């Protein structure tokens, strides 16, 4: 039976300071706040991070990611044309329908432009039109949203609409899940993420009477204010208050933040800016392993090899308080083992658990450095004999 294996890592990092590594302090009036450092996997701040809450338009991140999955699989061309059904237009136009892309009934719109309308303009109409274009109905599309949420590890979320419109509690998320969703979108669909999330504005639709083009600015409160900011999505309803899931990358160090339950647009701007600037300023990343570096080995069962090297899938770091760290960073490798062949090179098979001072453990993935095929018939017999006589 597989059991959790704990091994020493290949190296340790000595930090030069005699002071204890106390976590920097931060406070915010936001009802919910969460800050994640992708370079290390460290949670830098958490306030009600697992509480269920309505996402409002932040749910559109999942709508976008379903589309990104299909696009990257070659199943949804960006130039595919979608028709605005008159019934959909009737429901999602006018002041009572919230944010809009200003689509017209019967209009043909490409997937690419609908995504711009969703990400940049937070168009409720664009979200439903895209959902219907992909799945036939919005209800069928939300099934894809929830399936993807399960796949990427959202444990406290459910989606009942494509645009996050209030639905009596059917749609809910947690801040931790929103950060997980943002991380997945950035790490698995980076090219599309950069293509769509950083647009400062988007022009679509015509004004009534004067027939002038309608240009709307991106609602992202940190875009252009925080260096390296490039995503993601705001949200607001009377029930949810003002919220935001955002990300910025500075010198290769990326943070993801979530704030929610704020009372005003201005409060959202202020608190989202404060939180992510605090994350970059009060904490620093210390490099541990370069991408491809061997960190350790794991035992393999029924494989062509009895072990597999564990390597860093990207540059790995530990996050510590800025200018205030001490002692040796302790690193342990954790995996459910022995691993069972076959194993593919690059497959995530273990985790590196890093601890320092009184900050919470930081967990980053490790991947197989080689392919390990399944042992042949005679190889399995030999492995069985070795195990029987204590030679394995």
């Amino acid at each position: 039976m597989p059991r959790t294996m704990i091994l020493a890592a290949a190296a340790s990092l000595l930090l030069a300071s005699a002071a204890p590594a106390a976590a920097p302090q931060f406070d915010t009036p936001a009802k919910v706040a969460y800050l994640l450092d992708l370079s290390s996997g460290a949670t830098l701040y958490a306030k009600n991070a697992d509480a269920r809450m309505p996402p409002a338009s932040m749910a559109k991140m999942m709508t976008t990611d379903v589309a990104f999955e299909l696009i990257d699989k070659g199943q949804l061309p960006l130039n595919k044309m979608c028709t605005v059904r008159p019934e959909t237009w009737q429901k999602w136009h006018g002041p009572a329908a919230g944010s809009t892309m200003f689509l017209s009934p019967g209009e043909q719109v490409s997937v690419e432009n609908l995504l711009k309308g969703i990400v940049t303009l937070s168009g409720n109409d664009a979200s439903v039109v895209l959902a219907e274009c992909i799945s036939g109905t919005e209800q069928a599309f939300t099934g894809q949203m929830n399936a993807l949420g399960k796949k990427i590890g959202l444990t406290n979320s459910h989606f009942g609409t494509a645009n996050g419109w209030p639905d009596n509690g059917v749609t809910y998320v947690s801040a931790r899940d929103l950060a997980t969703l943002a991380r997945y979108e950035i790490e698995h669909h980076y090219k599309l993420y950069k293509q769509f999330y950083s647009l400062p504005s988007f022009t679509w639709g015509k004004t009534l009477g004067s027939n002038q083009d309608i240009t709307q600015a991106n609602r992202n409160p940190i875009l252009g204010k925080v260096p390296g900011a490039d995503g993601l999505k705001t949200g607001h309803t009377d029930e949810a208050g003002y919220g935001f899931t955002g990300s910025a990358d500075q010198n290769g160090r990326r943070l993801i933040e979530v704030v929610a339950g704020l009372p005003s647009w201005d409060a959202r701007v202020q608190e989202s800016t404060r939180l992510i600037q605090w994350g970059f300023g009060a904490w620093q990343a210390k490099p541990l392993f370069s991408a491809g570096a061997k960190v350790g080995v794991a035992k393999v069962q029924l494989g062509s090899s009895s072990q597999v090297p564990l390597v860093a899938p990207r540059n790995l770091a530990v996050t510590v308080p800025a200018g205030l760290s001490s002692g040796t960073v302790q690193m342990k490798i954790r995996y459910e083992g022995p691993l069972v062949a076959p194993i593919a090179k690059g497959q995530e098979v273990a985790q590196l658990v890093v601890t320092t001072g009184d900050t919470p453990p930081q967990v980053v993935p490790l991947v197989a450095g080689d392919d390990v095929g399944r042992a042949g018939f005679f190889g399995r017999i030999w492995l069985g004999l070795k195990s029987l006589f204590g030679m394995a």
Side-chain angles (χ1 to χ4, degrees):
M1 178 179 293
R3 64 185 188 277
T4 301
M5 312 290 284
I6 304 293
L7 306 172
S12 62
L13 176 69
L14 186 64
L15 301 175
S17 175
Q25 299 301 302
F26 183 82
D27 193 24
T28 176
K31 293 179 181 179
V32 173
Y34 186 70
L35 185 63
L36 175 68
D37 189 331
L38 259 61
S39 65
S40 64
T43 295
L44 305 185
Y45 186 79
K47 179 180 180 181
N48 297 323
D50 296 305
R52 288 185 177 181
M53 63 181 184
S57 286
M58 290 185 288
K60 292 167 185 163
M61 290 163 51
M62 180 59 83
T63 298
T64 302
D65 201 46
V66 170
F68 284 0
E69 289 271 298
L70 296 173
I71 292 166
D72 277 343
K73 289 177 181 178
Q75 298 174 3
L76 182 66
L78 282 171
N79 61 2
K80 175 182 172 67
M81 301 305 290
C82 302
T83 302
V84 181
R85 297 170 61 245
E87 303 93 321
T88 303
W89 174 84
Q90 186 64 40
K91 183 176 181 180
W92 297 108
H93 87 284
S99 302
T100 177
M101 184 179 167
F102 292 105
L103 296 170
S104 300
E107 185 176 12
Q108 293 275 303
V109 190
S110 69
V111 167
E112 180 177 2
N113 283 325
L114 286 172
L115 283 169
K116 291 176 181 176
I118 294 168
V119 172
T120 308
L121 311 182
S122 197
N124 290 321
D125 52 355
S127 301
V128 178
V129 170
L130 182 63
E132 292 173 343
C133 186
I134 290 173
S135 303
T137 67
E138 185 180 9
Q139 182 179 12
F141 184 80
T142 59
Q144 290 184 255
M145 296 171 73
N146 290 312
L148 180 57
K150 182 177 181 180
K151 170 188 170 182
I152 67 179
L154 306 191
T155 59
N156 205 13
S157 298
H158 185 267
F159 299 92
T161 70
N163 57 20
W165 196 258
D167 57 2
N168 298 313
V170 174
T171 298
Y172 59 85
V173 296
S174 69
R176 195 183 304 274
D177 276 3
L178 285 174
T180 299
L181 173 57
R183 179 176 191 167
Y184 183 86
E185 202 154 11
I186 292 166
E187 292 185 343
H188 290 81
H189 305 294
Y190 185 71
K191 184 177 179 180
L192 289 167
Y193 171 82
K194 294 297 289 184
Q195 179 178 348
F196 287 100
Y197 273 100
S198 299
L199 295 177
S201 64
F202 183 53
T203 300
W204 196 268
K206 301 285 187 179
T207 58
L208 294 175
S210 60
N211 202 37
Q212 298 294 310
D213 289 339
I214 300 173
T215 298
Q216 300 181 69
N218 194 318
R219 291 163 169 76
N220 186 328
I222 64 172
L223 198 64
K225 295 182 177 67
V226 174
D230 56 11
L232 292 149
K233 192 71 198 70
T234 56
H236 169 251
T237 63
D238 291 342
E239 177 189 19
Y242 288 82
F244 175 61
T245 301
S247 185
D249 185 297
Q250 295 183 7
N251 301 316
R253 181 181 172 216
R254 180 174 288 279
L255 303 185
I256 292 175
E257 67 170 342
V258 180
V259 293
L262 288 159
S264 68
W265 178 292
D266 288 344
R268 178 171 63 191
V269 173
Q270 178 177 334
E271 291 309 306
S272 59
T273 303
R274 283 184 64 236
L275 178 58
I276 204 161
Q277 286 180 334
W278 172 82
F280 281 117
W283 298 84
Q284 60 185 331
K286 296 283 189 180
L288 292 177
F289 297 97
S290 299
K294 181 179 176 181
V295 182
V297 296
K299 292 183 178 180
V300 177
Q301 192 174 55
L302 302 177
S304 55
S305 174
S306 62
Q307 61 183 29
V308 63
L310 302 173
V311 303
R314 52 180 169 80
N315 293 338
L316 300 182
V318 60
T319 304
V320 296
L324 189 67
S325 47
S326 70
T328 300
V329 173
Q330 296 181 334
M331 293 181 283
K332 295 180 180 179
I333 296 168
R334 181 175 67 195
Y335 68 96
E336 294 297 315
L339 303 175
V340 179
I343 298 169
K345 183 177 180 179
Q347 179 182 341
E348 183 177 332
V349 292
Q351 296 174 320
L352 181 66
V353 183
V354 186
T355 55
T356 176
D358 64 357
T359 58
Q362 300 172 35
V363 181
V364 290
L366 297 174
V367 300
D370 295 319
D371 291 317
V372 180
R374 190 169 175 82
F377 175 75
F378 292 107
R380 292 197 299 273
I381 293 177
W382 172 242
L383 289 171
L385 290 172
K386 288 176 68 178
S387 177
L388 181 65
F389 291 104
M391 299 166 62

